[in-house]
Amino acid sequence: MNASKSLAVRRRRSTRLYALAFLAPVAIVLLVFVFYPIVDTFAISGYRWNGISADRQWVGFANWSSLLQDSKFWTAFLNNIIIMILSIVIQIPLGLAMATFIDFGGKKMTVFKVLWFIPMLMSSVAIGFLFTYALATNGGLISSISALFGGGNVDLLGNPKNALMTVIMVICWQFAPFYMVYFMAAYTNIPFDVYEAATIDGATRGQYFLHVALPLLAPSMKSAAILSMVGSLKYFDLIYVMTGGGPGTSTELMATYMYKESFKNFNMGYGSTIAGGMFILITVISLLTMRAITGKEEK
């Protein structure tokens, strides 16, 4: 009896040691590259510092006070919200439509799967340069088409009224294929027997989609909405390449504003404050969204 107990204790101890050995590298990476930068960001936000010199001036909560009154930051936050809402409204239905088209079409739709996924294989910087040239006022694709029909140059990226919507369309073009693949994976979780049963009952493909597939895809759609929301709130690269946040502040985002303050204006203290503000806002919005979604599921 004692021998069996000691053997069980040794097994538990060895299991814990193996678990610690496997978890230690992950814990170290998270501490060094995730938790420490977050803590250090909030620490630096209490200083006036150019990010280079060893001289830091402690200013307490002065940077945070300036952030609360900074209209440029709140304009950037509003632009992020607009991108978030339109990304969810456009990307998820478009991705679902493409996935449904491919799923209903079967193997003969493989060519569409490959073609539609190409934007996801390109880097955001490459896409940014591609559309910057394609949408150029002089000699761009849209302006050239307009000239063919006797129109003038079309300024999409240089016009504050059009710039944000233009960039949003490019973002949706890039990321809609991600949600296509996401929903294709979700379709594979629906048993084929369900489709056969619906067909035997006389349901058309449209009725099957609306009354059977769509309710079963609802959890995946909620997860996709959260992914799109978080990604939109911290978006940076494509917009920085295409417009740099301009013209004016029409496409300025929290991330582009933070980058400019930190690495162009060498105001690392205030840039860290903007990063801290981003972290707080994204966390709060994400938690509220997840609470709202889980709350509806519980009801």
Side-chain angles (χ1 to χ4, degrees), residues 91-103 109-120 175-187 224:
Q91 289 178 32
I92 293 177
L94 186 57
L96 179 60
M98 291 190 293
T100 303
F101 179 77
I102 291 171
D103 185 74
M109 296 300 173
T110 303
V111 63
F112 291 101
K113 188 191 305 184
V114 173
L115 289 174
W116 288 342
F117 192 68
I118 288 175
M120 275 300 299
F175 286 103
F178 169 80
Y179 296 102
M180 175 191 74
V181 175
Y182 188 85
F183 288 122
M184 284 172 59
Y187 265 116

Side-chain angles (χ1 to χ4, degrees), residues 11 14 27 45 47-48 54 109 148 160 192 207 228 235-236 243 291:
R11 282 180 177 175
S14 63
S45 69
Y47 291 90
R48 182 176 291 112
M109 296 300 173
L148 286 175
F192 187 70
Q207 290 171 332
S228 180
Y235 206 75
F236 170 75
T243 65
R291 187 184 180 95

Side-chain angles (χ1 to χ4, degrees), residues 16-289:
R16 288 171 188 160
L17 289 173
Y18 281 122
L20 286 173
F22 281 107
L23 290 174
V26 178
I28 292 169
V29 169
L30 287 174
L31 285 171
V32 174
F33 295 103
V34 178
F35 295 111
Y36 171 72
I38 291 172
V39 173
D40 194 49
T41 295
F42 282 96
I44 294 174
S45 69
Y47 291 90
R48 182 176 291 112
W49 182 43
N50 61 11
I52 300 173
S53 69
D55 183 28
R56 298 185 185 183
Q57 182 183 353
W58 172 254
V59 294
F61 290 99
N63 284 331
W64 288 95
S65 177
S66 299
L67 184 70
L68 292 174
Q69 302 171 32
D70 189 349
S71 60
K72 193 171 182 179
F73 173 78
W74 294 110
T75 299
F77 174 63
L78 179 62
N79 288 339
N80 273 111
I81 295 295
I82 293 171
I83 290 177
M84 178 190 78
I85 293 170
L86 292 180
S87 292
I88 293 172
V89 170
I90 298 172
Q91 289 178 32
I92 293 177
L94 186 57
L96 179 60
M98 291 190 293
T100 303
F101 179 77
I102 291 171
D103 185 74
F104 283 4
K107 292 183 179 179
K108 60 186 177 183
M109 296 300 173
T110 303
V111 63
F112 291 101
K113 188 191 305 184
V114 173
L115 289 174
W116 288 342
F117 192 68
I118 288 175
M120 275 300 299
L121 301 177
M122 301 172 65
S123 72
S124 296
V125 174
I127 290 173
F129 280 115
L130 172 67
F131 277 94
T132 298
Y133 291 119
L135 301 175
T137 306
N138 297 313
L141 179 64
I142 305 299
S143 293
S144 299
I145 294 172
S146 175
L148 286 175
F149 292 94
N153 289 337
V154 179
D155 189 8
L156 293 174
L157 296 176
N159 189 334
K161 294 180 180 179
N162 302 326
L164 185 61
M165 285 302 301
T166 302
V167 172
I168 289 172
M169 291 301 106
V170 178
I171 292 172
C172 292
W173 178 82
Q174 180 187 10
F175 286 103
F178 169 80
Y179 296 102
M180 175 191 74
V181 175
Y182 188 85
F183 288 122
M184 284 172 59
Y187 265 116
T188 61
N189 292 326
I190 301 176
F192 187 70
D193 296 344
V194 174
Y195 174 73
E196 286 184 332
T199 305
I200 291 170
D201 288 339
T204 62
R205 285 191 172 183
Q207 290 171 332
Y208 165 75
F209 172 74
L210 289 173
H211 302 292
V212 179
L214 198 59
L216 293 174
L217 292 172
S220 298
M221 293 176 68
K222 292 173 183 177
S223 301
I226 293 173
L227 287 173
S228 180
M229 178 194 66
V230 174
S232 300
L233 289 173
K234 58 187 183 69
Y235 206 75
F236 170 75
D237 40 10
L238 189 144
I239 286 185
Y240 188 78
V241 170
M242 289 186 69
T243 65
T249 58
S250 59
T251 61
E252 192 77 87
L253 303 182
M254 292 186 289
T256 58
Y257 187 35
M258 174 201 64
Y259 177 83
K260 290 175 184 177
E261 285 295 323
S262 300
F263 302 107
K264 283 196 167 184
N265 298 336
F266 295 102
N267 192 354
M268 189 64 70
Y270 192 61
S272 297
T273 308
I274 297 170
M278 281 180 62
F279 176 79
I280 293 170
L281 290 170
I282 292 171
T283 302
V284 169
I285 293 172
S286 300
L287 290 175
L288 289 175
T289 304

